[in-house]
Amino acid sequence: MFKSEYLNRVYAEVERRDAGEPEFLQAVREVFESLELVVDKHPEWEQAGLLERFVEPERVLEFRVPWVDDEGRTRVNRGFRVQYNSAIGPYKGGLRFHPSVNLSIMKFLGFEQVLKNSLTTLPMGGGKGGSDFDPKGKSDAEVMRFCQSFMTELYRHIGQFTDVPAGDIGVGAREVGFLFGQYKRIVDRFDGGVITGKGLSFGGSLARTQATGYGLCYFSAEALKYLRNDSYAGKTVIVSGSGNVAQYCAEKVTQLGGRVVAMSDSKGYVYDPNGIDLPKLFDIKQKRRARISVYADEVPGSRYVEGCKNIWNVKCDIAHPCASQNEMDAEGAKALIDNGCIAVFEGANMPLTPEAIALVQGAGLLYSPGKASNAGGVATSGLEMSQNSMRLSWSFDEVDEKLHGIMQSIYKACYDASVECGKPGDLMVGANVAGFLKVAEAMMAQGENLRSDFVTFP
Ligand code: NDP
């Protein structure tokens, strides 16, 4: 499958050991396809078993999370934390609460996070965690009891120098608050740097809420400018999803002169040719926690269509998939291409299937993988950790400016690596290679590979 024998051997072993983990295999395969361009220049990697170590998480935790619902019944969910790689800093990555969560999804997200965090230029290793608990339809008290139980196990495995979780799908400010409260209660210490995405009144950073969506647009604006001499101005844009990433992506697109005409949730999408009314969207999603269909009920001139995957049939110039993994397949990609779309920049993690990526790149559209274009969230989490350590808070504009600078450097790192690999403008290759090289260098330097027969004892 790969031209490199070394990559083939390692991938075959991953396939054998992790056969039941399709998302994880998909993520590894994509990265290996890019590494093919550099692996031959580094024979020392094979000698050191570097890729074998890179694909294997340092530690995987799986635990029982019992909690009591409002009827007094005990329920049980499964909790995870995948501590993937700590070569360049403490494990860092979000927690996802969604019924689809399983080990494959946790491992693919942790694996991607290692490369993403490396790209941010900040000292953060990679990890991911979560549970198959569904916060939807639960009362605040139920969510609180679940979070308390989850943290009652997780607390012993995390810390500002060990592992620093944050939010992801299903884990927003409410959940992070409950998780932090329980951590503090157990350890009897105000250890703010143990989790990011905190509320502003207890150590959170301004602009963290906006960071992933804003950062996505800052990255995309660089790609449009340098690869097409273009910008968001006057562009018609689709943003799938309507959660944290999608909402602030839509806001920044609008500020930069684009018009967001369609957004979705897991049930369907809304089309508004006049451009999504952002205050209305924020009210529906943040205050009322209602379905996206409510938007069409309340905004004249808009309409609701069942089935979230149909969103790609809407004509647009730029597509930002910001919902979940594999949300755009070959059919969706074809629809975008046929409608004259010029760019697909990922906000979610791995939202395009491999077939969709091949079609989009084959048709000459600009394309960026989530690990590069959505890295603004974790980068700003890194800035939250810095502020916690320094015991001060930067203004919104200071954080936003730093975020903007980080996204510009991530774009440049990806572009430069794409040139070095002989594929100028292939931001997927650029992201995978640039992210990996830094981690590889740190892993080699730390010498974990040494076997006892290589060590000379005095
Ligand atoms: P939210 O929980 O805030 O929102 C998720 C959105 O995606 C909702 O609209 C949800 O619809 C929809 N969705 C979830 N699962 C599916 C599915 N299987 N099919 C279709 N739609 C779905 O999550 P975030 O906005 O935080 O995260 C979105 C993506 O961005 C994820 O891939 C996440 O890993 C990634 N990401 C998030 C970061 C962050 O800072 N939050 C940082 C970097 C990446 P519904 O309400 O109907 O479930």
Side-chain angles (χ1 to χ4, degrees), residues 5 69 103 127 136 145 149 230 238 297 345 369 383-384 412 423 440:
E5 264 321 298
D69 67 18
L103 187 58
K136 277 208 190 70
R145 289 194 290 271
S149 181
D230 210 337
I238 299 177
D297 297 338
F345 300 118
L383 300 178
E384 181 175 332
K412 187 166 181 325
K423 299 220 165 202

Side-chain angles (χ1 to χ4, degrees), residues 240-255:
S240 68
S242 48
N244 172 268
V245 180
Q247 288 167 25
Y248 291 100
C249 168
E251 184 171 80
K252 187 51 77 179
V253 165
T254 310
Q255 287 171 7

